[in-house]
Amino acid sequence: MPRRRDESPEADGTPWDEHRWERLLQESDRRSEKYGRLLEQYADHPDADAIIAREMGWENLDDDDDWSDAGREPNARFEADQQNYEEDDSDVADPAAEQRHPLAVAARDLTRQVMKLIDGPRATPEQQKWAGDLFGGVSICGAKLHAMLGRVPRPGADLGMMIAYLKRGLKALTDALGAIDPCEHLQILTAADAAAVKREAFRIRGGIIKIMGDLRAEFRRRHG
């Protein structure tokens, strides 16, 4: 049976808006979660590769195919590119890093600040939960901004993808904002530190919203 061809941004040559990109990202999330569950379930099985390939729908793959990359999930190369962007080390002494958007730099610095503030043992599961939510939110936001804002805007840029990624960063930051007051209440953060983190998070949030508005206007200008 031929391998199913999934919808992809290149299929019809029509520029994708943020909503189509978001549907693709959601599908990618679901398939990645399924892949992770299968890896865990069949970790010790001698035929793990074949079973996982069948369960994921990766058909007609020869034994010597590298199905972990080109043959695996729909839009695999897109996903790999985004992960490479997000795993890029912002501390590497690279002249291009100096050109990184100031909002991406601010998000990176906020992540480092939060990491220092919450460092240390947690006495209760509740403290662990809220500290984890705060750090997870700011770090995911920082990763999304780091991935996208060094590439905004340029001729031919995929604006829909960029907006979709920034929306995900915005959601992560909003989740982090929701964890600040509980962290203060549980004495993970002092009142002064909580106020400083909240102030910077809101500043970054406002910057993301403005950039998304600019990108949407540019998308309309380019594509009507």
Side-chain angles (χ1 to χ4, degrees):
M1 183 186 301
R3 189 184 310 153
R4 179 172 61 89
R5 293 183 61 84
D6 293 85
E7 185 182 24
S8 68
E10 298 83 10
D12 59 7
T14 303
W16 278 26
D17 63 15
E18 61 191 271
H19 307 295
R20 292 183 75 182
W21 272 108
E22 181 58 32
R23 288 195 294 272
L24 172 64
L25 292 171
Q26 288 173 355
E27 174 62 18
S28 172
D29 288 345
R30 287 191 290 270
R31 291 182 65 80
S32 295
E33 290 170 4
K34 180 180 179 181
Y35 181 52
R37 290 195 301 271
L38 290 169
L39 280 176
E40 182 176 359
Q41 182 178 352
Y42 295 106
D44 299 323
H45 197 288
D47 298 320
D49 287 359
I51 294 172
I52 292 171
R54 184 177 66 247
E55 292 292 328
M56 293 298 298
W58 305 331
E59 300 167 353
N60 286 350
L61 295 176
D62 296 332
D63 290 341
D64 57 353
D65 279 347
D66 182 11
W67 58 268
S68 63
D69 182 16
R72 57 188 179 102
E73 307 204 26
N75 311 294
R77 289 188 178 85
F78 161 75
E79 294 168 16
D81 286 345
Q82 299 317 307
Q83 184 162 345
N84 287 340
Y85 288 157
E86 294 185 21
E87 291 178 351
D88 181 25
D89 186 354
S90 60
D91 293 328
V92 173
D94 178 1
E98 298 301 321
Q99 304 304 314
R100 186 68 59 182
H101 193 285
L103 204 60
V105 175
R108 178 200 64 193
D109 291 346
L110 179 61
T111 300
R112 290 173 172 168
Q113 178 187 2
V114 167
M115 183 167 57
K116 291 178 181 177
L117 289 174
I118 67 172
D119 185 35
R122 299 282 162 240
T124 68
E126 189 178 17
Q127 286 180 320
Q128 294 173 4
K129 179 235 187 307
W130 288 112
D133 286 355
L134 175 56
F135 179 73
V138 295
S139 62
I140 290 171
C141 176
K144 301 304 181 188
L145 298 190
H146 181 79
M148 291 291 107
L149 291 187
R151 301 163 177 83
V152 177
R154 69 185 190 280
D158 200 320
L159 301 179
M161 180 185 74
M162 296 161 80
I163 296 168
Y165 250 68
L166 292 175
K167 283 169 71 173
R168 290 184 157 218
L170 182 62
K171 180 185 182 306
L173 187 61
T174 301
D175 291 343
L177 279 163
I180 294 175
D181 286 345
C183 283
E184 180 183 354
H185 176 72
L186 294 168
Q187 299 181 332
I188 300 168
L189 299 175
T190 67
D193 287 338
V197 170
K198 187 179 294 186
R199 183 168 54 250
E200 182 63 3
F202 271 115
R203 188 182 74 83
I204 294 170
R205 182 178 182 275
I208 296 173
I209 291 171
K210 180 182 185 306
I211 291 172
M212 287 171 55
D214 292 342
L215 290 174
R216 285 171 175 146
E218 178 64 13
F219 187 92
R220 290 192 297 268
R221 187 190 70 79
R222 292 186 189 182
H223 308 299

